Structures are given as structure tokens and as C-alpha cells.
Amino acid sequence: MTERSEQARRPTIREVARLAGVSHQTVSRYLRSREGLKPATLDRIDAAVRELDYRPNLVARYLNTRRTGRLAIVMPELVASNPTRILSGATEAAHEAGYSLELVSFGGGIDARTERLLELADSGQVEGILTLAPIAPSAQGRLGNGAAIVVSADFDDEMRSVGELIDAAPVRDMMARLADLGHRRFYHVAGDLKYASARARKDAYLEAVDRFGVESAGVFEGDWTAQSGCDAMLALPPQSLPTAVIAGNDMVALGVMRWAGEHGLEIPRDLSVTGWDDTEFGQFLRPALTSVGLDLEGVGRNGMVRLVKAVTGRDLAPSPGPVSRLLWRESTARLERTP
């Protein structure tokens, strides 16, 4: 859609205002409705819009019909963990409602991004905006003056999961089931603890240790990589090996499983291993990996459902079911060896 560099080349409302000799609030008002503005003011803004090529066709369409048929999703500067599945769910819902959808990336931190987002809302280019990143608290009172804005509660300022996506209840469910299967010594290889999701899974693990009266071989602070899974197992004395490992994600679990194979342990006979994220490779491992699937498409769809409701009043069907789902596979089983 719109690249950050392309956004930087486009004229802004403030540039239109400077050229027309009016305030940017007046230009925002012009973009919403020509009514109430003096003819001379309208002429100056019209001339500035033409000279700067400030989306004149889109502005005209908006003023004539109050519709652009376009919605936008705003993200911080694109990162390697671009949540394509969430965007897929949001796009499907937007198309279902008859809208085209644009992806906009604003850099410069939360304050700069908030100003650009509000400017986009005032521009008349889109009818609604779903932002996957938070906006500055000081902007809350300025919402509602232009296009509808819905703020997702699922990510922080660096697109790290927060809100519903960090629910760690499946960790407790995993450990309850494994305790019933005879496991008494557990080990948690955490993800990067800068992430709220990693901290939540660590806390759930420690809570489950106390709740079920099992032993913990410890918590290893990893970094979401397979290497950290290997490193975590190497850090344990041979006499302190667990019977079950709760890995922070599927990549970490892969490292644990590789280490086990290299040290003569058979999974799940000697060691049960769980992951998180239900990445595609996990179900094709031998043994297939027990994991937690996240309905990221549903998260995107539900955000867009809220936006369509705000823009049109129309109710689209939300994504059914919970965000997370525990998927039991071959990497976990009843303990067959003496701890």
C-alpha cells in the first residue's frame, strides 16, 4: 500500500494551510464541509490544494458524497514480526463491508505517529482508521472530529503483544494435564522478558508450580530462538533434568527437542515438550509438537468489525471462539521413566 517514504513526500494539511494563509484547523474544517467558510477562504484553500496536488480527486469525492470507500490500518514503522495474519483478518472484514483497505506506517515514535494519524483522520481520504499501535493519551479528547478511529488493545508501541493476546491460561492447562500424566519436575524456557507475553507465561508457570505441588527445575530467560532452547538445557546439571519442558514458543521448543535427541532422550517417552504459537513446522515434526494456536486472523477481524460499526453502524459477525487454543500432539505423553 503506502510506503513510509511515499507518505513523507505527500503534502500535509499544515502545508496547505500555510500556502492558503489559514490555520490547519480551518483546512480540516474545509475537508469535512465547505459550509460556513467565507468564499474568499474557500478560494484560497482550493488554490492551495490544486497547487500542492493534495489528493484533489479524493477530497472532492469526500465532500460530494461523504464517502471514500476506504479504510486504513496504522502501524508503527514496519518490523520483522509484521503481523500478516492479523492484517489478513482485518482485510477480509473490510472487504466484506465493501471497503478497500490501506496499510499506513508512521515512524517517529508515539507522539509523531499520533499527530500523523489525526491528520489522516481529518484529511477526508479515509472513512475510518484501525490503529494496531497505541496513540498518545493526550489525543483522546481530539478523537471523533474526522474519520472514525478505533485503537486496538492488542499491541504496544513496538508491536509486542499485550491485552488479550498475552493470556497465559494455557500454560496452567498444559501443566495440569502433564501433572495428571505423572510429571513432577518441570522446566520453563521463557521468551524475551521485555515482552509482556513472555512475562505472563513465566508468571503462569510459577503459579502452576505452586498450585499443583510440582517441582521446578528453574526458569531460563531465553530470547524466543531455538538456540536459547538448546542453551537452556545445557545450563541444567544432568542430575536435575526435568520430565517436562514448557517452552516460550515453538522455536524454543525446537531447540529443546534438538538437544534431547543429541543427548539420548526420546520425546515424549523421556521428556515431554510444549511450545506456543502453533507455527506450521510444529505439526510436521516427529513427534509433532504440542502447542497453543492463536487466532490472529480473528484479532484482526474483530478490530475491523469494531471500526466498521463505528463508521457505518453495521454489525459484521465477529470471529467465533477464543483467541487461544491448546493443541495436544505427540510431544507430550504419560511419563514412562523414573524422574
Side-chain angles (χ1 to χ4, degrees):
M1 198 295 305
T2 307
E3 297 291 336
R4 183 162 56 96
S5 58
E6 182 181 350
Q7 284 283 341
R9 292 195 299 271
R10 291 178 179 171
T12 67
I13 287 178
R14 294 181 183 275
E15 290 170 331
V16 172
R18 282 196 296 270
L19 187 58
V22 297
S23 68
H24 72 275
Q25 291 91 342
T26 298
V27 177
S28 295
R29 180 180 171 188
Y30 161 94
L31 293 171
R32 292 192 297 271
S33 174
R34 301 173 69 90
E35 296 180 3
L37 294 176
K38 296 178 180 180
T41 300
L42 290 172
D43 289 343
R44 292 201 304 274
I45 298 176
D46 285 341
V49 166
R50 286 193 298 270
E51 182 174 337
L52 294 173
D53 192 23
Y54 184 76
R55 298 279 191 177
N57 294 332
L58 288 174
V59 170
R61 178 182 176 186
Y62 178 74
L63 294 175
N64 289 333
T65 68
R66 308 299 295 174
R67 297 281 312 273
T68 66
R70 301 165 70 205
L71 303 173
I73 292 183
V74 169
M75 300 175 62
E77 289 187 90
L78 296 180
V79 293
S81 57
N82 181 18
T84 54
R85 290 175 55 196
I86 291 177
L87 297 176
S88 175
T91 300
E92 180 181 13
H95 292 172
E96 184 179 322
Y99 284 92
S100 62
L101 188 64
E102 298 194 5
L103 173 62
V104 182
S105 175
F106 292 146
I110 187 170
D111 291 328
R113 183 175 64 248
T114 297
E115 287 302 316
R116 296 292 300 279
L117 184 149
L118 293 173
E119 188 173 274
L120 176 63
D122 284 341
S123 70
Q125 297 176 33
V126 297
E127 294 179 51
I129 301 169
L130 171 63
T131 173
L132 297 183
I135 63 174
S138 59
Q140 293 294 333
R142 299 163 60 189
L143 303 183
N145 295 326
I149 298 175
V150 168
V151 181
S152 169
D154 298 304
F155 297 96
D156 68 8
D157 195 43
E158 297 183 21
M159 290 301 297
R160 296 178 296 205
S161 298
V162 295
E164 193 175 16
L165 284 176
I166 69 168
D167 179 19
V171 169
R172 292 185 288 272
D173 296 339
M174 288 173 177
M175 294 178 66
R177 171 82 173 268
L178 289 168
D180 287 343
L181 292 174
H183 293 271
R184 287 294 177 267
R185 184 179 299 130
F186 290 77
Y187 188 39
H188 179 46
V189 187
D192 187 337
L193 294 180
K194 293 196 298 291
Y195 288 73
S197 55
R199 296 193 299 273
R201 291 168 207 170
K202 174 185 174 182
D203 291 344
Y205 168 82
L206 294 173
E207 178 187 330
V209 167
D210 290 338
R211 176 183 296 186
F212 303 125
V214 295
E215 179 185 349
S216 174
V219 174
F220 184 89
E221 296 184 6
D223 59 6
W224 302 121
T225 65
Q227 184 62 53
S228 70
C230 291
D231 292 343
M233 299 306 293
L234 286 169
L236 288 174
Q239 67 275 16
S240 299
L241 290 180
T243 64
V245 174
I246 308 299
N249 69 1
D250 291 350
M251 288 298 296
V252 172
L254 181 63
V256 172
M257 295 170 75
R258 174 62 181 263
W259 178 92
E262 291 176 347
H263 289 77
L265 295 181
E266 184 178 330
I267 296 174
R269 186 193 66 187
D270 301 315
L271 182 68
S272 285
V273 181
T274 69
W276 194 289
D277 288 335
D278 189 31
T279 48
E280 185 177 6
F281 71 78
Q283 57 187 298
F284 294 103
L285 293 174
R286 183 177 295 179
L289 179 62
T290 291
S291 190
V292 177
L294 299 177
D295 183 13
L296 298 178
E297 292 86 356
V299 169
R301 178 178 181 85
N302 289 341
M304 189 56 62
V305 165
R306 291 167 54 209
L307 180 59
V308 169
K309 175 71 172 181
V311 171
T312 68
R314 177 182 173 189
D315 289 311
L316 298 181
S319 177
V323 169
S324 62
R325 184 165 58 102
L326 184 47
L327 302 166
W328 292 101
R329 298 196 181 105
E330 300 161 357
S331 67
T332 49
R334 182 172 296 280
L335 180 64
E336 298 294 342
R337 67 178 176 89
T338 302

